[in-house]
Amino acid sequence: MVNFLVFGPPGSGKGTQSVQLAERFNLVHLSTGDMLRDEIGAATDLGERVKSIMAAGELVPDDIVIAMIASRIDSRGDAAGFIFDGFPRTCDQAMALDRMLADRSALINLMLVLEVEHEELVRRLLSRAEVSGRADDANREVIERRIEVYMEKTEPVAQYYRKLKKYRAINGMGDISDIFERLSVAVKEFI
Ligand code: ADP
């Protein structure tokens, strides 16, 4: 199994690039944001619980996202590997993920960190708001809060993998296809 984290602030292109990487390298794409939005869409109890948290740009509690990821990993034991998108977002999530993978004699092979300038992030998210219908894209205040939460709680996760020598910065500015090529070059080293 080969496993990758696609990491970066909101608007850095994690979702777009993860879908394409999963397809090209035959990996299973796991996005906690998509899973949570599915729960909201299906109006489950969990969806009702997380709706206002997400709309405010805050993080959903660790136990919820850790349980969601654990069940997906369990149900896809046949996978050649996973692309984790939007998870882990806290150091506790990172440690839980490492334990889950270790139980399956697997590990995170590489963290791909998309680097994008702040103004470009805000511009992308505001323009996505017009098509995504996502409550958390709708206004500048929530977008700025999400970026702030990233800097405070999620950026330390990058330091965790940096210490493990698994950190790879990728220029996330420019054409989607050029960024995809940069990511693919890094992934190929492990496949
Ligand atoms: P983005 O990276 O653009 O914010 P995501 O779809 O990854 O988009 O996340 C949207 C929201 O879903 C987050 O702001 C947060 O509220 C929630 N979320 C997603 N993944 C996690 C996670 N691993 N831990 C906590 N909250 C999460």
Side-chain angles (χ1 to χ4, degrees), residues 5 7 87-102 107-108 110-111 113 153-168:
L5 300 180
F7 201 81
F87 180 92
R89 260 178 155 92
T90 64
C91 290
D92 284 346
Q93 291 178 23
M95 288 185 277
L97 177 61
D98 280 354
R99 279 194 298 271
M100 283 180 237
L101 293 174
L107 43 69
I108 291 297
L110 190 65
M111 167 188 246
V113 185
K153 300 190 172 146
T154 306
E155 174 67 21
V157 176
Q159 304 317 320
Y160 173 85
Y161 288 98
R162 201 195 277 272
K163 284 200 193 103
L164 298 173
K165 307 229 178 305
K166 292 180 176 176
Y167 181 103
R168 184 79 56 94

Side-chain angles (χ1 to χ4, degrees), residues 14 32-33 37 54 58 60 86 89 93 128 134 146:
K14 298 184 296 287
T32 41
R37 279 184 291 276
M54 288 174 71
E58 303 296 335
V60 166
R89 260 178 155 92
Q93 291 178 23
R128 184 171 81 185
R134 274 177 57 166
R146 284 158 65 203

